[in-house]
């Protein structure tokens, strides 16, 4: 749907144009003094500056023009020339009627739908998924959903870390433990065993040992580096072993992402860029931007006007291996060829900002994408109570699996303490605990502007009061039961919307602000704007429901209108929660 503020802006813009002023001065937004007016327009001030006139005089002219427009209840001028606008109830009710007719309850539609790839998740094979990957998954999933709803064609790509030094480290560690395996025998001609020599548990055990050894012992690191280069160069035994690592890892990853409610359209990895490396190197050479530096081959990306130094992107190390930057660059070539998106979004920790700056600049220099087509959607860290990135009690990185289990258990306790859902069967109760736990975790993560760090505080996240996932989720469940209760009384037919009470008007105004919130969340790539809206909607409904009867309202037209209002609110809240990746239990 067109946003209400865009609709009003066009209207007010015409009034400016009628006085020979720029129509773009008529920008209308929601008032920051809702006690004075619903909307405001500050354009008269800018117009006065342009025309070197008195702003109040201009505001008066515009106000007079708008006063003749039947949609406005009041048009007044405040201060030096701010226009305060409020709409007539019948107009508001009519717009809300359009919402009722809209199967999407007012989502915003992009004027020019694009093809977009969102790269989020980024777990590394053989390393357990940790909470650092959690934000990427939660924010990326939400952005994917809200961009799709806006009409874009969107691909979510997990971009597995399956090609780096950790692969060489694992190979060498396994060779130390089981040197007799055929993968290490250079004379072996195959076929290699179908059965993986390692399980997920083996990988979880092997990787920390290998990483530690590499850290302590320069020779071990060298061997791992060499193994990585040989794997990338195509040594058959290493490739066969690596495939087992990837497959085994993927099974665990799929389970964890499924529990989080996060899905990907593409399960590609860094290794999928391999077939593009040679072509990429050729292209870079042709353009004269592949330079020898200390035995490595690099792409210089620094610019004269850089405030801080941006080091070159390393394309090949001295042993010919590719690194994180090279695979990201080659992946862009793959994406260009396979999908040709107009935009690629990387939802990755803000601390990787420099890496993406290097990759984006190199991609532009190589002519693969223009820089503005590539966006790093950074985010801050989730911290522990000590203000440092969240760790377990033992000081280690918390695994996602453990986090999900912990959240679910705490949610179950919370439900029990609050006496919620206790009439459900054991199985349903577990399901609800999972849904509430995920709502708590996701909403807590998404409701902060993404660049801010936040503190992991499960008890606060799980509260049923305040701006939390469980509060908004519970509001939706309650709406379902309100509607069911009305139906029990035999009232099933909703009717045209009327405004008979202030809380109805406020609820309708909130409902009508959804398209604005969706658009803004989309344009800024900021899901917290949707959280704000969802919370405001839940609150507006709760104030309405406290003040207005539905089930036992005597006036049948008013009752039918209120039922319609409840239905639209539930519909819109359901859309919002789905955009945040939050499920709504049937009952609690
Ligand atoms: N695997 C990386 C990490 O764990 C994240 C990958 C993000 N995506 C990308 N295209 N670089 O840090």
């Amino acid at each position: 749907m067109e946003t209400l503020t865009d609709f009003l802006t066009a209207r007010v813009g015409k009034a400016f144009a009628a006085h020979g002023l720029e129509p773009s001065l008529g920008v209308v937004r929601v008032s920051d003094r809702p006690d004075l007016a619903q909307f405001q327009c500050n354009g008269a001030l800018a117009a006065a500056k342009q025309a070197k006139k008195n702003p109040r005089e201009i505001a008066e002219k515009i106000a007079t023009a708008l006063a003749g427009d039947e949609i406005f209840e009041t048009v007044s001028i405040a201060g030096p020339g701010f226009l305060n606008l409020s709409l007539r109830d019948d107009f508001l009710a009519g717009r809300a009627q359009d919402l009722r007719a809209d199967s999407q309850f007012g989502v915003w539609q992009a004027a020019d739908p694009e093809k977009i790839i969102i790269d989020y998740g980024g777990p590394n094979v053989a390393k357990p998924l940790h909470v650092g990957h959690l934000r990427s998954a939660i924010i990326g999933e939400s952005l994917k959903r809200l961009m799709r709803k806006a009409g874009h064609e969107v691909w979510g790509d997990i971009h597995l870390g399956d090609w780096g030094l950790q692969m060489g480290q694992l190979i060498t560690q396994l060779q130390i433990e089981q040197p007799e395996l055929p993968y290490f025998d250079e004379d072996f001609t195959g076929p290699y065993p179908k059965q993986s020599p390692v399980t997920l548990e083996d990988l979880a055990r092997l990787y920390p040992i290998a990483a530690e050894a590499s850290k302590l012992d320069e020779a071990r690191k060298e061997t791992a580096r060499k193994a990585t280069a040989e794997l990338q160069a195509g040594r058959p035994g290493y490739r066969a072993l690596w495939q087992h690592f990837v497959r085994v890892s993927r099974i665990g990853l799929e389970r964890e992402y499924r529990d989080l409610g996060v899905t990907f359209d593409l399960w590609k990895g860094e290794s999928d860029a391999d077939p593009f490396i040679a072509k990429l190197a050729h292209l870079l050479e042709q353009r004269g931007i592949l330079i020898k530096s200390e035995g490595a081959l690099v792409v210089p990306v620094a610019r004269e006007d850089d405030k801080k130094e941006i080091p070159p992107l390393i394309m090949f190390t001295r042993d010919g291996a590719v690194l994180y930057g090279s695979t990201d660059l080659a992946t862009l070539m793959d994406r260009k060829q396979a999908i040709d998106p107009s935009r690629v979004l990387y939802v990755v920790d803000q601390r990787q900002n420099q890496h993406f700056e290097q990759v984006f600049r190199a991609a532009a220099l190589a002519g693969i994408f223009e820089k503005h087509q590539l966006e790093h959607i950074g985010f801050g860290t989730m911290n522990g109570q000590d203000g440092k990135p969240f760790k377990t009690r033992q000081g280690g990185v918390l695994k996602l699996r453990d986090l999900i289990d912990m959240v679910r258990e705490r949610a179950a306790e919370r439900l029990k303490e609050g006496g919620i859902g206790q009439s459900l069967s054991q199985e349903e109760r577990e399901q609800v605990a999972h849904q509430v736990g995920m709502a708590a975790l996701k909403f807590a993560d998404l409701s902060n502007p993404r660049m801010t760090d936040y503190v992991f505080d499960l008890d606060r996240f799980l509260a049923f009061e305040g701006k939390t996932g469980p509060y908004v989720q519970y509001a939706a469940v309650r709406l379902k039961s309100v509607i069911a209760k009305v139906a029990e009384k035999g009232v099933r037919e909703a009717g045209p919307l009327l405004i008979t009470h202030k809380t109805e008007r406020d609820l309708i105004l909130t409902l009508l602000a959804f398209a604005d919130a969706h658009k803004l969340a989309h344009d800024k790539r900021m899901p917290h704007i949707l959280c704000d809206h969802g919370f405001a909607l839940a609150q507006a409904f709760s104030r309405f429901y406290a003040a207005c009867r539905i089930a036992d309202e005597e006036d049948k037209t008013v009752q039918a209108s209120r039922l319609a209002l409840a239905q639209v609110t539930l519909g819109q809240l359901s859309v919002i929660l789905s955009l945040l990746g939050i499920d709504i239990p049937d009952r609690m």
Side-chain angles (χ1 to χ4, degrees), residues 276-291:
F276 293 85
I277 293 288
K279 237 192 311 186
L280 173 62
H282 185 68
L283 175 68
L284 297 173
E285 236 159 41
Q286 256 182 346
R287 298 214 163 203
I289 50 175
L290 192 61
I291 310 293

Side-chain angles (χ1 to χ4, degrees), residues 403-438:
L403 179 72
I404 294 172
D405 290 345
M406 176 168 103
V407 170
R408 187 188 293 161
E409 270 165 41
R410 240 349 248 132
E413 282 167 30
R414 244 304 151 77
L415 289 169
K416 199 165 175 197
E417 285 159 20
I420 300 169
Q422 299 310 298
S423 63
L424 303 176
S425 72
Q426 175 69 15
E427 199 184 318
E428 276 178 302
R429 224 178 318 161
E430 275 168 23
Q431 163 88 352
V432 170
H434 181 74
Q435 291 171 318
V436 171
M438 287 303 113

Side-chain angles (χ1 to χ4, degrees), residues 119 121-124 133 159 161 270 324 328 346 348 352 355-356:
D119 179 318
N124 301 308
H133 296 112
H159 200 71
E270 294 173 359
Y324 192 36
D328 257 331
Y346 295 81
V348 185
Q352 293 195 20
H355 163 77
F356 288 108

Side-chain angles (χ1 to χ4, degrees), residues 48-359:
K49 235 190 212 146
Q50 273 178 20
K52 301 209 166 47
K53 281 200 181 132
N54 179 348
R56 194 133 183 134
E57 223 167 86
I58 295 181
E60 263 154 29
K61 278 191 193 148
I62 305 294
T64 315
L66 293 179
D69 186 333
E70 77 279 7
I71 70 169
F72 294 108
E73 174 73 31
T74 56
V75 178
S76 61
I77 300 165
F82 300 111
L83 283 162
N84 278 338
L85 310 167
S86 287
L87 297 163
R88 279 175 56 136
D89 282 351
D90 54 357
F91 172 76
L92 287 174
R95 291 286 291 196
Q97 205 59 37
D98 297 341
L99 271 189
R100 259 188 92 196
D102 176 5
S103 65
Q104 298 299 311
F105 304 97
V107 300
W108 168 77
Q109 290 292 298
D112 308 299
E114 295 184 34
K115 273 191 189 177
I116 300 172
I117 293 179
I118 308 187
D119 179 318
Y120 62 102
N124 301 308
V125 164
K127 299 194 205 175
L129 218 68
H130 59 72
V131 288
H133 296 112
L134 176 75
R135 297 209 70 193
S136 175
I138 293 177
I139 299 169
E141 179 72 23
S142 178
L143 287 175
K144 179 186 72 183
R145 293 178 184 210
L146 73 88
M147 294 192 123
R148 254 186 208 154
K149 265 280 188 266
H152 300 297
E153 205 176 335
V154 187
W155 286 260
D157 186 0
I158 188 165
H159 200 71
L160 279 181
D162 62 357
W163 209 226
L165 182 64
Q166 90 263 28
M167 305 314 319
Q169 289 173 321
L170 279 169
I171 292 171
T172 35
Q173 184 60 33
L174 191 64
Q175 185 166 20
I176 290 170
E177 294 191 6
Q178 297 186 55
E180 71 289 354
L181 290 174
Y183 308 97
F184 307 116
D185 178 359
E186 282 192 79
D187 299 324
F188 187 78
T189 50
Y192 292 98
K194 281 212 168 59
Q195 185 73 25
S196 171
V198 291
T199 62
L200 196 56
E201 289 68 37
D202 293 332
L203 287 178
R205 182 183 61 80
L206 285 169
Y207 176 70
I209 303 176
E212 187 63 17
S214 224
K215 213 181 330 172
L216 297 176
D217 178 356
E218 197 47 47
R220 275 293 294 279
K221 191 166 173 187
E222 196 47 45
T223 333
R225 236 191 337 242
K226 210 170 137 257
T228 309
E230 283 181 281
L231 165 73
Q232 292 180 356
R235 181 168 157 171
Y238 287 4
R239 287 276 174 129
L241 188 53
W242 165 81
Q243 270 176 355
H244 285 304
F245 293 163
V246 174
R247 254 183 246 137
V248 165
S249 256
R250 185 167 158 171
I251 296 168
L253 286 171
E254 281 178 350
R255 202 179 53 211
E256 294 181 0
Y257 280 108
R258 192 192 51 226
D259 283 354
L260 261 185
V262 170
T263 57
F264 298 95
D265 307 287
L266 303 169
W267 273 79
K268 297 196 105 181
E270 294 173 359
S271 65
D272 288 295
D274 184 50
F276 293 85
I277 293 288
K279 237 192 311 186
L280 173 62
H282 185 68
L283 175 68
L284 297 173
E285 236 159 41
Q286 256 182 346
R287 298 214 163 203
I289 50 175
L290 192 61
I291 310 293
K292 257 217 157 72
S293 165
E294 295 169 36
L297 283 168
V298 306
V299 182
V301 293
R303 283 195 301 241
E304 294 241 318
D305 58 348
D306 283 338
K307 297 223 169 47
K308 65 169 196 202
E309 198 190 316
I310 307 280
L313 178 143
I314 302 173
M315 185 62 200
F316 296 106
T317 65
R318 59 189 152 77
D319 4 77
V322 294
L323 297 182
Y324 192 36
S326 359
T327 55
D328 257 331
L329 200 52
T331 298
L332 278 173
M333 256 189 147
D334 182 5
R335 289 173 175 166
K336 177 87 185 174
Q337 257 176 43
I339 294 175
D340 193 17
S342 48
R343 206 174 286 285
V344 185
L345 269 50
Y346 295 81
V347 186
V348 185
D349 193 319
Q350 182 55 25
R351 290 174 294 181
Q352 293 195 20
N353 193 28
Q354 178 173 293
H355 163 77
F356 288 108
E357 187 59 32
Q358 291 172 314
V359 172

